[in-house]
Amino acid sequence: MHDNSQVVGAPSAAALRHRWPGVFVVCAGVMMAFVNASSTIGALASIQDDLHVAGSTLLWVTSSFTLALVSLVMPAGTLGELYGRRRLFVGGVVLFACGSLIGFLAGDVGVLIAGQVVMGVGAAAILPCGLAMVSTSFPDPAERTKAISVWASCAGLGLAVGPLVAGLLLTHFSWRSVYLPNLVLGIATAVLALFLLPESRHPSRRLDPLGVVLGTITVAAATFAIIQGGASGYAQPYILAAYAVTLVVGSLFLRVEANHRDPMLDLKLFRSASFSTVMLIAAAAMFGFVGIALLSVLQLQRVAGHDSLGAGIRLMPMMLSYVVVGALSARILRVAGFRLTLTAGLVLLGGGALALMWTDAGADYSRMWPGLLLAGIGSALLVAPSTAAAVNSVSPLQAGMASATVNLFRQLGAMLGPAVLGTIATSRFPALLSQRLVDEGVPRASAGELAAAAAHGQVPAGDGATLALLTRAVPEAYSEALHTSFLTGAVVLLVIAVFAAIFVRTASPSPIGSN
């Protein structure tokens, strides 16, 4: 067992010898989190049919994982610095495996959601502690960037593999089978981590209990409001109350952190316009990557009529280009620098979203794959480089804090992408379908009822002519609704590209602060 312990910024000789095997152990843990996220989405239809889950409850089968992960990623990073990053990482992997076992054995939706919460808590420890161990194992910034690129590529590989794994397993087994791969991978990762990962911690970090509590409440309230608001409406009283909690408690959190001698989140980091912009880019990268992937799946399934496996296969131009170009992003950074790389990534990702508007209900796949390819390349120029820019811009002793912070912004973006872009599409669809039906001569009242039924996934009652009309009008209306979402995502990404071109430093950022 690898028992060398690091308590300072410089890695030990033993840690240096094991640094690349250690990266791949960490990558296995990262893949678990992202495979679970995408494979569970692919299994939702089977879960709903088997457990008879209402649509409003089904939302939380995946969202409970996100809520736990986003809420706890910053505190977990802090605890890793205090009590040992490897210890927290292994604990997170074990928790994740336990959550996968709970999901596999779940007999009702409540138990399944509980399993997803356990997995989310585990992932909250895996992501920041794993990235911090990767960062502190490579003193050279160029080699560190290469390692972070591998780390980020594995996250994308997990997203890509998830739907394929789910599709293959669901072809032969029940939805419970999608949790078995992570259970096996978790056990192997935990054992390998004990032998190949060095223990490391911050030499002088102190617990910030009030900051931990206030920060967790702030992020949890905001996350709940964003997720549930997209399903029930953002004007609901309890959603408004959640936003009020976010505002009040968030203000207290910022005040506490500004005055704490050793805060969980050092607000002085955000005095750097480059660091602040990089955080925005990290969020935008996942906003675009996950949001565009979700919209593309909806296009493939609800417009083109493919099943989950067919949709996953057709998403490969985006996922494979992300993995391949992501593996080369460290070399690209050495030539182009951070500013040009990140700006180009945002432009390409936004351009991919615009290109996907070329796809409509009557188009074949040849119109879709170029946009997916552009989006994958753009994402690859954003995810790893923005993570590297964040970690390289702080001192080694702040690597854990930077890792937790960039993971928080990444996960917020990954949550906002589907929430915002998906909500735009689903909210516009009924009105667009209703208007198409009216244009075809259906009375407005009947058209509204038919559109409402179609929006809830129900097969509306009607004669043969009406059903034939719906068969044609539903994909057309859904495709038009998706175009609005693609356009919204493109505008957001291209606006942030302007900020990247202005504020991000061209070269590798110099460390901010020293303690």
Side-chain angles (χ1 to χ4, degrees):
M1 183 181 296
H2 197 310
D3 58 1
N4 186 75
S5 180
Q6 295 170 240
V7 294
V8 294
S12 66
L16 288 173
R17 285 197 305 272
H18 292 90
R19 63 189 186 279
W20 279 109
V23 167
F24 291 105
V25 172
V26 169
C27 284
V30 170
M31 283 188 64
M32 287 169 53
F34 287 93
V35 166
N36 173 70
S38 57
S39 63
T40 299
I41 290 173
L44 283 179
S46 298
I47 292 170
Q48 186 173 29
D49 292 341
D50 184 41
L51 300 181
H52 309 291
V53 183
S56 57
T57 305
L58 189 69
L59 167 72
W60 286 100
V61 172
T62 54
S63 297
S64 55
F65 173 83
T66 303
L67 179 62
L69 169 56
V70 176
S71 302
L72 297 174
V73 68
M74 280 291 296
T78 300
L79 292 175
E81 291 195 320
L82 284 167
Y83 303 111
R85 292 162 184 149
R86 184 184 68 177
R87 182 174 297 161
L88 263 289
F89 178 86
V90 172
V93 170
V94 171
L95 268 179
F96 202 102
C98 291
S100 299
L101 181 60
I102 292 171
F104 175 75
L105 298 174
D108 59 67
V109 69
V111 176
L112 179 58
I113 289 175
Q116 288 284 357
V117 170
V118 174
M119 283 186 270
V121 175
I126 290 169
L127 295 181
C129 294
L131 179 56
M133 285 188 289
V134 169
S135 303
T136 55
S137 296
F138 293 87
D140 177 62
E143 195 175 18
R144 185 187 310 131
T145 299
K146 183 179 179 181
I148 291 173
S149 298
V150 173
W151 179 89
S153 295
C154 288
L157 184 60
L159 285 173
V161 167
L164 297 179
V165 170
L168 289 171
L169 290 173
L170 291 172
T171 302
H172 303 286
F173 307 103
S174 79
W175 59 266
R176 290 178 174 81
S177 62
V178 302
Y179 296 109
L180 280 180
N182 277 334
L183 179 59
V184 175
L185 185 59
I187 294 171
T189 301
V191 172
L192 289 173
L194 292 173
F195 286 91
L196 295 176
L197 292 178
E199 185 58 279
S200 66
R201 59 178 64 86
H202 196 287
S204 60
R205 194 72 190 269
R206 296 180 182 179
L207 186 62
D208 174 17
L210 187 56
V212 168
V213 172
L214 293 176
T216 302
I217 293 173
T218 299
V219 177
T223 304
F224 172 81
I226 292 168
I227 294 173
Q228 187 61 36
S232 62
Y234 291 104
Q236 293 290 331
Y238 65 94
I239 299 298
L240 295 176
Y243 279 122
V245 170
T246 301
L247 182 62
V248 173
V249 180
S251 299
L252 290 173
F253 170 71
L254 294 177
R255 184 173 181 178
V256 167
E257 296 305 274
N259 293 290
H260 199 281
R261 294 179 58 185
D262 192 7
M264 179 177 73
L265 177 60
D266 189 351
L267 300 180
K268 292 192 291 293
L269 294 176
F270 292 91
R271 294 177 183 173
S272 164
S274 182
F275 183 86
S276 298
T277 304
V278 166
M279 291 299 105
L280 180 63
I281 293 169
M286 296 305 291
F287 173 91
F289 183 71
V290 180
I292 290 172
L294 171 70
L295 297 179
S296 299
V297 168
L298 292 175
Q299 177 78 31
L300 289 163
Q301 292 185 334
R302 301 197 181 185
V303 178
H306 298 290
D307 60 16
S308 58
L309 179 58
I313 292 172
R314 287 166 177 81
L315 207 62
M316 283 298 101
M318 180 178 180
M319 297 302 181
L320 291 179
S321 62
Y322 170 85
V323 173
V324 172
V325 178
L328 301 173
S329 61
R331 297 181 183 179
I332 295 171
L333 272 176
R334 285 200 297 271
V335 175
F338 280 96
R339 178 184 297 165
L340 181 57
T341 301
L342 294 174
T343 303
L346 288 164
V347 171
L348 287 171
L349 185 55
L354 291 176
L356 286 164
M357 294 176 64
W358 190 31
T359 307
D360 55 37
D364 60 27
Y365 182 66
S366 64
R367 285 194 179 186
M368 189 172 187
W369 71 261
L372 293 173
L373 184 68
L374 278 178
I377 294 171
S379 299
L381 297 178
L382 289 172
V383 177
S386 63
T387 304
V391 174
N392 287 347
S393 67
V394 301
S395 66
L397 293 181
Q398 289 182 309
M401 182 185 296
S403 300
T405 305
V406 73
N407 268 296
L408 173 63
F409 277 85
R410 280 161 48 93
Q411 294 305 318
L412 286 173
M415 177 185 62
L416 285 170
V420 174
L421 302 181
T423 298
I424 290 172
T426 55
S427 63
R428 279 187 53 78
F429 168 68
L432 291 170
L433 177 58
S434 179
Q435 187 57 51
R436 283 179 178 272
L437 295 176
V438 169
D439 293 342
E440 294 286 344
V442 178
R444 189 168 295 277
S446 299
E449 292 175 359
L450 290 170
H456 288 86
Q458 302 169 0
V459 179
D463 56 28
T466 301
L467 292 177
L469 175 58
L470 283 169
T471 301
R472 184 181 75 254
V474 167
E476 292 174 349
Y478 214 101
S479 181
E480 187 177 349
L482 289 171
H483 287 177
T484 304
S485 293
F486 281 126
L487 179 60
T488 302
V491 170
V492 170
L493 292 163
L494 294 175
V495 168
I496 295 175
V498 175
F499 285 92
I502 296 172
F503 294 112
V504 174
R505 297 170 186 166
T506 300
S508 177
S510 57
I512 304 169
S514 59
N515 51 46

